[in-house]
């Protein structure tokens, strides 16, 4: 292992799941396929929500922001990991590492908050439908979106700056697919126990509190749905909510493992798998989970694509 003294001009070597896998080429191909799936599916969902006026309602505006966050998050991680593997060059500069960590924290934290707001939207729509236009007006919806981005940005900026002010002298090698707080702290020269506690508290605040709000919202939703007289209304509500809960479980499972589980229970391999799951796998599957079971989205997609095809035929 190479020992070193960190300066601003130094960099790191990212040794992630691609380097430690028994079938790295196959895994690289799978990750690349998931990335293109994420680009295509999230891009299509954003296009449909933007172009179809019928989807310009709070539920789909929030869903569009989720797709945007997923698209950006996987783009921060995946292209560099794949290119590094193909070029056999896993180095990343000090500044590049700081930027990657900041962007990942912004997008991840914003998604944590947005999923909680999406649960609130479903709660109001199902449990208080008569007040929906007041409690979930377009103004309230955009305020939720702005809150998600701004709080996430402020939190990410503070934690990124504090993490990178440490001197890293133990090794240049980061046993992770990308620059993230927990694996970087293992390379720090100083005692990081207090800061690790701060990171843990951040994880509880950004992950567990929104998750608790989501579970509370869906408990109330379930109670309301079970008392609905209409079978059709009950079925529609359950389909929409089950899609959201699937996304919540996939996202919070991996992120909570990384930031809430105490460090003694972590291993580099487990951390890599967990991070790949919530930064690469989940962004690729989210739009499929929402769109395949949502008749409004699939209908809007057919209308948008139909208009484009008819326009090209007329030309």
């Amino acid at each position: 292992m190479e020992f070193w003294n960190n300066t601003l001009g130094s960099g790191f070597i990212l040794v992630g799941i691609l380097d430690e896998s028994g079938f790295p080429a196959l895994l690289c191909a799978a990750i690349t396929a998931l990335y293109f799936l994420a680009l295509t599916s999230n891009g299509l969902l954003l296009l449909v929500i933007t172009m179809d006026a019928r989807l310009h309602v709070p539920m789909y505006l929030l869903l569009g922001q989720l797709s945007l966050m997923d698209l950006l998050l996987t783009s921060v991680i995946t292209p560099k990991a794949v290119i590094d593997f193909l070029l056999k060059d896993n180095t990343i500069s000090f500044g590049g590492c700081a930027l990657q960590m900041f962007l990942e924290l912004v997008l991840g934290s914003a998604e944590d908050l947005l999923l909680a707001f999406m649960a609130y939207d479903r709660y109001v729509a199902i449990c208080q439908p008569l007040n929906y236009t007041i409690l979930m007006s377009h103004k309230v919806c955009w305020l939720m979106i702005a809150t998600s981005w701004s709080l996430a940005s402020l939190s990410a900026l503070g934690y990124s700056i504090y993490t990178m002010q440490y001197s890293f002298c133990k090794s240049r090698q980061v046993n992770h697919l990308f620059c993230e707080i927990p694996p970087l702290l293992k390379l720090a020269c100083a005692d990081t126990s207090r800061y690790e506690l701060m990171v843990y508290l951040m994880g509880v605040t950004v992950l567990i509190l929104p998750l608790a709000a989501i579970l509370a919202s869906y408990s109330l939703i379930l109670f309301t749905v079970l008392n609905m007289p209409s079978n059709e209304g009950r079925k529609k509500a359950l389909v929409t909510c089950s899609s959201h809960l699937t996304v919540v479980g996939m996202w919070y499972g991996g992120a909570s493992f990384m930031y809430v589980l105490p460090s003694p229970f972590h291993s580099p391999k487990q951390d890599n798998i967990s991070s790949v799951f919530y930064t690469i796998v989940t962004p690729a599957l989210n739009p499929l989970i929402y769109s395949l079971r949502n008749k409004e989205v699939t209908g809007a997609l057919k209308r948008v694509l139909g208009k484009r095809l008819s326009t090209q035929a007329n030309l």
Side-chain angles (χ1 to χ4, degrees):
M1 182 177 286
E2 179 185 353
F3 291 85
W4 65 310
N5 288 318
N6 170 56
T7 65
L8 288 178
S10 303
F12 299 96
I13 300 172
L14 299 174
V15 182
I17 194 169
L18 287 174
D19 302 280
E20 298 177 342
S21 168
F23 304 95
L26 182 61
L27 183 58
C28 181
I31 288 176
T32 303
L34 284 171
Y35 178 61
F36 281 110
L37 176 61
L39 285 181
T40 305
S41 55
N42 284 294
L44 273 176
L45 194 54
L46 277 170
L47 176 68
V48 168
I49 291 171
T50 302
M51 295 190 64
D52 195 306
R54 302 181 197 185
L55 300 185
H56 292 177
V57 294
M59 173 182 171
Y60 293 108
L61 292 176
L62 294 173
L63 181 57
Q65 288 295 308
L66 180 67
S67 284
L68 178 61
M69 290 172 185
D70 280 339
L71 189 62
L72 294 174
L73 178 62
T74 192
S75 295
V76 168
I77 308 300
T78 313
K80 175 167 176 52
V82 172
I83 292 171
D84 285 354
F85 174 76
L86 295 176
L87 298 179
K88 307 299 181 184
D89 179 13
N90 292 0
T91 59
I92 186 171
S93 67
F94 185 91
C97 184
L99 178 61
Q100 188 182 55
M101 180 172 59
F102 169 73
L103 292 174
E104 186 268 333
L105 286 173
V106 169
L107 296 164
S109 301
E111 187 158 334
D112 295 334
L113 298 172
L114 188 75
L115 287 171
F117 287 135
M118 291 175 73
Y120 173 76
D121 169 72
R122 291 300 83 207
Y123 160 74
V124 175
I126 294 171
C127 300
Q128 301 190 43
L130 297 178
N131 296 321
Y132 185 78
T133 55
I134 299 172
L135 297 176
M136 277 303 300
S137 64
H138 275 71
K139 184 178 179 180
V140 172
C141 178
W142 285 110
L143 180 61
M144 288 177 171
I145 293 169
T147 300
S148 298
W149 283 105
S150 56
L151 289 181
S153 298
L154 290 172
S155 173
L157 182 63
Y159 278 95
S160 298
I161 291 173
Y162 201 94
T163 300
M164 300 311 286
Q165 57 88 31
Y166 280 106
S167 292
F168 302 99
C169 60
K170 293 183 179 179
S171 170
R172 292 184 64 201
Q173 183 172 303
V174 181
N175 292 317
H176 209 58
L177 188 67
F178 58 95
C179 287
E180 202 167 11
I181 293 177
L184 276 174
L185 291 182
K186 294 177 181 178
L187 309 183
C189 309
D191 178 20
T192 61
S193 55
R194 288 187 179 180
Y195 182 54
E196 286 179 28
L197 178 60
M198 290 173 58
V199 173
Y200 171 79
L201 293 176
M202 175 194 72
V204 170
T205 303
V206 177
L207 287 165
I208 303 303
L209 292 183
L211 181 59
I214 290 170
L215 294 177
S217 296
Y218 278 103
S219 297
L220 295 171
I221 288 171
L222 182 62
F223 179 78
T224 302
V225 166
L226 292 177
N227 288 285
M228 281 184 174
S230 168
N231 287 331
E232 185 66 27
R234 189 185 302 121
K235 182 180 178 182
K236 183 178 179 181
L238 287 174
V239 166
T240 303
C241 295
S242 62
S243 298
H244 188 202
L245 282 174
T246 302
V247 170
V248 166
M250 290 170 57
W251 172 260
Y252 280 95
S256 298
F257 181 90
M258 195 67 193
Y259 285 97
V260 177
L261 194 69
S263 55
F265 296 95
H266 286 244
S267 73
K269 185 176 181 180
Q270 291 172 331
D271 287 351
N272 266 301
I273 294 172
S274 172
S275 295
V276 165
F277 195 78
Y278 73 84
T279 60
I280 297 175
V281 177
T282 301
L285 298 182
N286 278 356
L288 300 180
I289 293 170
Y290 275 108
S291 60
L292 290 178
R293 302 181 66 187
N294 190 308
K295 293 181 180 179
E296 291 179 337
V297 172
T298 53
L301 180 60
K302 291 176 183 177
R303 288 193 296 272
V304 170
L305 294 179
K307 286 180 181 178
R308 294 226 157 186
L309 290 174
S310 62
T311 302
Q312 289 177 357
N314 292 333
L315 294 175

